[in-house]
Amino acid sequence: MGNQQSIKIFLALMLSTAYIFSFSHFGALAYNTLFKNTDAFAAGTAIGHLDISEKTAAEAERLLEEEVEKWKAKTKITFSYKEKKAEADTALYEFYIEETLRTLKQGQKNLAAVDVDQEVLEEMIYRTSISLGTVEIDTKKLAADLLIGATMLDESGYTFHLENYIPEAVRKSETISKATVNAEGSLNEIKALLKKMGTVEIPAKAQFSFLRLVEEKDIQMHHSSALSIMGTAIYQAILPTNFSIIERYISNALPSYAKLGYEAKVDEKKQMDLVFSNLNDSAYSLQLSLKGNKLEAILKGQPFLNKYSIVKKDEQSFTPKTVKQYNARLESGETQVIESGKTGLLVKMVRKIFGESGELMKTEIISEDFYAPVHKVVVHSPVEPVQVTEQAETGAEEGEEEEQETPDSTTDENVPMPVPGAHSESEDGTEVDEEDNEGDEKGTEPQTSDNTGQGTDMPAGEEK
């Protein structure tokens, strides 16, 4: 009986203790849930990448305002139009904090309520390029694209190419430049090339290689003359543009078809290529055709904002020396010209860039081309006839001393009898072995430079 009473009392105490403990713990939790945090957002609720789970409306508003200011400070918006770029001010965005919080959906990712000020947008478009003031631009589509990153509060940088917001009908392709090169002597090869090549496309933001084009078109050429003529025409056509010349070569001597400063030698066997880069956001094309005996290259595409002018600078010529050689097989007084000689040439090609308003923005050196002179070579007989004047004979008879000029070191009279085996000397008295002279080439094949890809030869003692 006593044991049963004790058990009842123990159970009553246990139940009372459990009740008191449960009320204090779960009661506080229930109170917080029902009364204190009724305005907190559910788990998984976010605005863009900003997580506001378990945050009150006041806390979420403060966090969102801080995030918007951070986004405006860090995000870079760039407008580009052809060659020009301008940074847009994030002040063109209008964020609506209260509307964003009011329309939130619990437990999921939401977009920030934001809009673009159209007046500020148009002002920034005109600031990019004054020519856009007269061009029709789809500002509604541009504004919609501008909002994509803003609604997500993505701090990545954005570049918007304004050409993409100009109607296709307005974006007309125009002739940018034209070049003609004399193709006489290689007309048949040029015709065969044109049949396979057609219009040459130069994609946007891409590098163009002439030899790669030849490979893609499966063109088999045994001689490089036709390729060089076509390469020269292309090079001359793209020079007055903003294309970047990466690789280009020239010959030992200026070919008859090329103008000084405009040659571009192409040789498939020697891997001499013409390579340039189109850094623009629009593609261009080269139309090649024969007009009589001339190859014409026309560059077409979107016109540039800037004007590009090619100027020749520091043009020089180098007179060839005359090299004398002697041959015992020639009769006395007989001479033979075995090399007529060729004048050496040097020119610096400069590209001047003028802005939309005609102001000179930049001057850059495109290339320095040097063609070494080819010396004139004349073969003489080893003994020249001695001519005695009548005056000298008279003076000798009268016993008078006649003052005679010392012959020039390069005149025939001052030349000693040669030993077997021909030799030669230049006009400055320097002897040159005939064997070495015959093996002397007209310059050396140029190598690609580090700066422009331009192959050049410079005269001794001169810098580029």
Side-chain angles (χ1 to χ4, degrees):
M1 185 70 177
N3 291 335
Q4 290 180 353
Q5 188 68 27
S6 299
I7 293 172
K8 290 179 180 180
I9 293 171
F10 177 74
L11 291 173
L13 290 172
M14 288 289 293
L15 291 172
S16 299
T17 303
Y19 174 77
I20 294 170
F21 176 78
S22 299
F23 181 80
S24 63
H25 180 73
F26 293 106
L29 181 61
Y31 176 81
N32 288 334
T33 303
L34 295 175
F35 301 100
K36 190 175 181 180
N37 289 331
T38 53
D39 60 346
F41 294 104
T45 306
I47 305 170
H49 65 82
L50 178 63
D51 187 6
I52 58 171
S53 300
E54 308 296 340
K55 304 296 183 184
T56 65
E59 292 172 332
E61 182 178 0
R62 177 177 55 79
L63 289 173
L64 181 56
E65 288 176 348
E66 292 176 355
E67 194 64 27
V68 168
E69 291 303 316
K70 180 182 174 184
W71 183 89
K72 286 184 175 181
K74 287 191 173 183
T75 303
K76 288 186 177 180
I77 307 296
T78 303
F79 287 165
S80 76
Y81 182 61
K82 297 183 178 179
E83 301 105 296
K84 299 197 74 173
K85 289 185 179 181
E87 188 172 333
D89 194 342
T90 52
L92 63 88
Y93 291 96
E94 295 180 359
F95 284 86
Y96 303 101
I97 305 297
E98 293 181 2
E99 183 181 343
T100 300
L101 295 173
R102 188 174 62 252
T103 57
L104 282 180
K105 293 181 179 180
Q106 297 279 355
Q108 65 184 49
K109 182 176 286 190
N110 297 268
L111 299 178
V114 60
D115 201 359
V116 171
D117 189 317
Q118 287 290 328
E119 290 185 4
V120 177
L121 176 59
E122 290 177 5
E123 180 184 342
M124 291 184 179
I125 290 173
Y126 182 75
R127 191 192 304 170
T128 304
S129 171
I130 58 177
S131 64
L132 289 172
T134 58
V135 176
E136 180 184 352
I137 290 187
D138 190 347
T139 55
K140 290 184 178 180
K141 184 177 184 300
L142 175 58
D145 290 345
L146 282 165
L147 290 172
I148 294 174
T151 56
M152 296 295 295
L153 297 175
D154 187 352
E155 298 172 3
S156 304
Y158 302 94
T159 298
F160 295 90
H161 304 290
L162 300 183
E163 295 97 325
N164 299 331
Y165 301 94
I166 299 175
E168 190 68 31
V170 180
R171 289 185 283 168
K172 295 181 180 179
S173 179
E174 299 180 10
T175 296
I176 306 300
S177 64
K178 185 186 297 185
T180 57
V181 174
N182 190 353
E184 192 174 1
S186 300
L187 289 176
N188 292 333
E189 292 86 349
I190 294 291
K191 289 177 182 178
L193 268 173
L194 293 176
K195 285 182 180 179
K196 285 196 171 185
M197 195 163 290
T199 300
V200 178
E201 299 296 335
I202 307 172
K205 300 288 185 182
Q207 195 176 97
F208 173 86
S209 164
F210 192 23
L211 286 185
R212 184 172 64 237
L213 177 66
V214 169
E215 183 179 355
E216 290 172 354
K217 298 292 184 179
D218 193 26
I219 298 173
Q220 303 295 328
M221 296 297 296
H222 299 290
H223 302 286
S224 66
S225 58
L227 291 177
S228 295
I229 290 173
M230 187 167 287
T232 298
I234 292 174
Y235 178 68
Q236 188 171 333
I238 62 102
L239 265 185
T241 69
N242 65 345
F243 292 175
S244 177
I245 311 300
I246 298 173
E247 184 178 348
R248 172 230 177 192
Y249 296 86
I250 62 173
S251 305
N252 292 336
L254 181 65
S256 59
Y257 57 79
K259 299 176 183 177
L260 180 62
Y262 292 96
E263 185 202 357
K265 182 177 177 62
V266 179
D267 193 315
E268 192 174 8
K269 293 181 179 179
K270 296 181 179 179
Q271 287 299 295
M272 292 181 176
D273 199 0
L274 172 63
V275 184
F276 55 87
S277 181
N278 172 20
L279 303 177
N280 302 285
D281 295 311
S282 56
Y284 290 84
S285 64
L286 275 163
Q287 296 180 357
L288 301 165
S289 61
L290 275 173
K291 304 293 182 182
N293 63 348
K294 295 184 180 298
L295 175 64
E296 184 179 71
I298 300 176
L299 179 68
K300 287 192 172 186
Q302 293 296 308
F304 298 104
L305 286 179
N306 300 329
K307 180 183 177 182
Y308 300 88
S309 176
I310 300 299
V311 179
K312 290 182 179 181
K313 190 177 179 183
D314 299 337
E315 187 172 352
Q316 299 179 48
S317 61
F318 303 91
T319 304
K321 295 180 180 180
T322 299
V323 177
K324 286 185 176 182
Q325 296 181 346
Y326 299 90
N327 193 327
R329 295 178 181 177
L330 296 181
E331 295 181 2
S332 177
E334 184 181 359
T335 61
Q336 289 182 354
V337 178
I338 62 174
E339 174 59 65
S340 58
K342 198 167 187 179
T343 301
L345 300 169
L346 174 68
V347 69
K348 184 184 295 182
M349 302 298 286
V350 175
R351 178 188 285 165
K352 291 187 174 182
I353 305 172
F354 298 89
E356 291 180 271
S357 302
E359 73 283 8
L360 179 61
M361 297 174 58
K362 186 180 180 182
T363 300
E364 57 185 16
I365 298 175
I366 299 299
S367 66
E368 291 185 24
D369 293 359
F370 173 64
Y371 299 93
V374 178
H375 298 316
K376 181 179 181 179
V377 181
V378 182
V379 180
H380 293 256
S381 62
V383 178
E384 298 292 339
V386 178
Q387 297 181 357
V388 182
T389 64
E390 183 178 349
Q391 181 181 359
E393 292 176 352
T394 304
E397 291 175 356
E398 296 177 353
E400 299 178 354
E401 293 185 1
E402 292 293 333
E403 190 177 57
Q404 298 181 359
E405 294 185 358
T406 303
D408 186 86
S409 60
T410 57
T411 57
D412 297 334
E413 291 82 0
N414 195 45
V415 177
M417 290 295 291
V419 295
H423 72 280
S424 64
E425 65 175 12
S426 66
E427 285 187 328
D428 58 7
T430 303
E431 292 188 350
V432 182
D433 289 337
E434 185 175 30
E435 181 180 356
D436 292 340
N437 187 72
E438 292 176 352
D440 203 19
E441 295 185 0
K442 301 178 183 179
T444 56
E445 200 66 56
Q447 300 297 321
T448 305
S449 69
D450 295 333
N451 296 328
T452 62
Q454 155 78 37
T456 59
D457 285 329
M458 297 297 298
E462 293 201 20
E463 297 181 355
K464 290 186 181 181

